[in-house]
Amino acid sequence: MSKSIDELTQELASPDSATRTAAEDALVAHGVQAVDHVLPFLSEGQSAEVTLHAKAFLHRAREAVLPRLHDIRRNGPADLRRPALRALVDIGGEEFLDMEDRHAIQRLVQIKLLDERPVSLPMETRWLAFPADRLDAAVSALGLHDLRAVTTIMGVAAATVTRDSMDFESSAGSESTAYRVFITPEFSGWRLLFGNAFLDELGGTNLADKVSEQAGEAHFYAIDTYHNSQLWWISRDGHVVRGHSTYGEPEWVGDPLPFELEYMQGEDDPFADPYFVEKYAEGVTDADMAADALSVMPGPMPEPTTYGHGWLATTSTEAPNSRFKGVLPV
């Protein structure tokens, strides 16, 4: 005797992975009839395994379930409207939403932007920094498009948590990759750019050199505590002036900058700490110290020195923000 949809949805929470997978397969076979039963598993508070199988069901049965998801958004039931919205964005991005939902999200973002201070940025990651008054130059140098005002929590999630790259077929018929990045509000005269895939695959140091050609100056910083790695790179007018990489070859580039000199204690100094003499013999190795001295260090950002709002952007006109999948906090 075949199991009912209610029984199958309950098996999505089974501790046995084989049982969960079998339940998912059976629910896909039921198609649209299972949508209302699966959607509650997208609500907050569900286990990661259950949510993963619920999302997998929706992706696999997407053609069959999309009309029902849109119907729920318009007509209810009320308790399923929110998970239906999450499902649509997760399946196909904002472009899968109707205009009413798109406008509602835009209004919510604008309201949140009015009172989002203070903001906080991730510290153990990688980022570009450039002068805030050279935003247009940085955007041009990086070839960014579809700039959209977003809250900081939304931008950080888009560029570092959810999927921030997308493969697609261009209008010319070639396989292409687009990246999504977040440009922060202004902090003490600087803006930071986050985008893990963008910085990793195109090279943060190369991008800093490129931005500095048009913006005059740009920095790249990377902190990787898992691999005990630190990298910082200062570029001006298209050329590196100083850089350090824990595993770089060479480890150092350029001459020490003025802020480094106070840490470079000589062995003949009777007050020198032997640890610091060795650690900073050639210069400052810590990316956070360099960022704090030369631009701004991510983390909780002081409200008095925070100005404006952040921007979400992509690297292709054919892959706007609306095409990127994944639910973002606002």
Side-chain angles (χ1 to χ4, degrees):
M1 181 177 178
S2 61
K3 295 179 181 178
S4 69
I5 293 178
D6 281 333
E7 290 175 313
L8 292 171
T9 54
Q10 293 305 313
E11 288 185 355
L12 289 179
S14 170
D16 179 62
S17 61
T19 300
R20 295 196 303 269
T21 300
E24 177 193 316
D25 292 340
L27 288 168
V28 171
H30 282 285
V32 67
Q33 296 177 343
V35 172
D36 291 35
H37 300 264
V38 173
L39 281 180
F41 290 104
L42 295 183
S43 302
E44 296 179 0
Q46 300 291 333
S47 70
E49 292 83 1
V50 170
T51 300
L52 181 65
H53 283 286
K55 288 182 177 181
F57 157 77
L58 291 165
H59 278 273
R60 293 172 62 187
R62 55 181 273 173
E63 297 304 325
V65 304
L66 282 175
R68 177 54 184 158
L69 291 174
H70 284 292
D71 180 57
I72 292 172
R73 284 299 301 160
R74 299 281 69 83
N75 303 307
D79 62 331
L80 294 183
R81 283 191 173 125
R82 186 177 182 87
L85 179 65
R86 297 177 65 89
L88 286 166
V89 175
D90 191 71
I91 292 172
E94 186 183 309
E95 69 179 10
F96 272 38
L97 303 180
D98 61 26
M99 291 306 300
E100 185 174 341
D101 277 337
R102 292 193 193 191
H103 290 157
I105 292 173
Q106 292 170 4
R107 288 194 299 270
L108 178 60
V109 170
Q110 292 301 319
I111 291 171
K112 293 285 188 178
L113 284 174
L114 297 175
D115 187 31
E116 73 159 346
R117 303 287 192 272
V119 302
S120 185
L121 301 172
M123 292 184 288
E124 295 181 4
T125 183
R126 47 276 202 208
W127 70 94
L128 282 176
F130 58 86
D133 61 357
R134 303 309 308 276
L135 174 62
D136 290 343
V139 168
S140 175
L142 295 172
L144 300 180
H145 305 277
D146 190 31
L147 268 69
R148 176 182 301 189
V150 294
T151 62
T152 297
I153 189 173
M154 186 177 182
V156 168
T160 67
V161 180
T162 62
R163 185 180 177 187
D164 60 338
S165 68
M166 180 179 65
D167 296 328
F168 68 99
E169 184 176 325
S170 71
S171 57
S174 60
E175 291 297 319
S176 300
T177 300
Y179 302 93
R180 182 165 60 176
V181 302
F182 171 57
I183 300 173
T184 70
E186 175 182 343
F187 307 114
S188 300
W190 293 86
R191 285 184 185 267
L192 310 185
L193 181 146
F194 292 88
N196 289 348
F198 180 60
L199 296 172
D200 289 346
E201 297 184 29
L202 276 70
T205 58
N206 294 331
L207 292 172
D209 290 345
K210 191 173 183 178
V211 171
S212 73
E213 289 181 1
Q214 295 192 41
E217 182 168 353
H219 309 170
F220 175 62
Y221 304 94
I223 300 174
D224 184 349
T225 55
Y226 183 82
H227 295 99
N228 194 28
S229 172
Q230 302 270 342
L231 186 156
W232 59 277
W233 187 269
I234 309 303
S235 184
R236 293 171 183 154
D237 299 321
H239 304 283
V240 60
V241 296
R242 181 61 165 167
H244 169 267
S245 175
T246 303
Y247 303 115
E249 295 182 3
E251 181 180 353
W252 296 95
V253 177
D255 297 323
L257 297 177
F259 87 94
E260 297 179 79
L261 300 180
E262 62 181 287
Y263 298 97
M264 300 171 67
Q265 303 172 359
E267 293 183 359
D268 56 348
D269 184 349
F271 300 104
D273 184 323
Y275 172 79
F276 288 102
V277 169
E278 179 180 359
K279 181 175 176 63
Y280 300 120
E282 297 183 65
V284 170
T285 57
D286 308 270
D288 56 346
M289 292 171 59
D292 191 51
L294 299 173
S295 53
V296 291
M297 177 61 192
M301 308 307 290
E303 185 172 353
T305 57
T306 301
Y307 303 96
H309 59 74
W311 300 92
L312 205 57
T314 75
T315 59
S316 173
T317 56
E318 296 186 60
N321 286 294
S322 60
R323 290 191 61 184
F324 280 79
K325 302 175 184 179
V327 179
L328 300 176
V330 179

